[in-house]
Amino acid sequence: MSEAIARRTLGAVALSLAVLGSAAFQSDRAPSRPVRIVNATGQTITHFYASTPGFNAWEEDLLGEDVIPNGASMRINVDNGSGRCRYDFRARLANGAELDRRGVEVCRIAEYRFTADGPEPRADP
């Protein structure tokens, strides 16, 4: 009888640890950081990167197979799992030009407008 109780206790402990571990994993997830990228550059944006400031390498192209034609926009989640709000952006254009924007506060904006001249962030309405 005591062996059956020990098995049940071990099973309950294992189940509790699994549930707690799952809850901890979910609470560690950073919130999404959606930003609408508006292309007002006069060129098609063929690649878009967002990386945490201070890193020497850009993360993966967030557009994948997509592009953002001039005058169009796309909603992109720039979150890389770090939970940070400040990111550096890079847009690569069809003509090969690269536009870098440093220190964009994605927690404070809903839209970011890329122009050939310079940054135009827009706050939430």
Side-chain angles (χ1 to χ4, degrees), residues 45-58:
I45 295 176
T46 59
H47 299 79
F48 179 79
Y49 306 93
S51 294
T52 306
F55 287 95
N56 293 330
W58 291 98

Side-chain angles (χ1 to χ4, degrees), residues 55-116:
F55 287 95
N56 293 330
W58 291 98
E59 295 183 24
E60 76 272 2
D61 174 18
L62 295 175
L63 295 181
E65 298 290 321
D66 294 325
V67 297
I68 307 174
N70 183 53
S73 67
M74 181 181 291
R75 186 173 178 261
I76 298 175
N77 182 17
V78 299
D79 178 47
N80 64 1
S82 69
R84 295 186 180 185
C85 289
R86 186 173 293 198
Y87 285 83
D88 293 340
F89 288 173
R90 172 175 280 176
R92 184 175 301 147
L93 307 180
N95 66 0
E98 293 180 335
L99 305 175
D100 291 350
R101 305 297 186 249
R102 304 288 180 187
V104 179
E105 290 282 345
V106 298
C107 295
R108 295 184 183 181
I109 63 171
E111 184 176 286
Y112 193 90
R113 184 177 186 87
F114 263 99
T115 66

Side-chain angles (χ1 to χ4, degrees), residues 15-29:
L15 179 61
S16 295
L17 289 174
V19 169
L20 287 173
S22 174
F25 173 75
Q26 290 176 359
S27 67
D28 285 345
R29 285 184 171 168

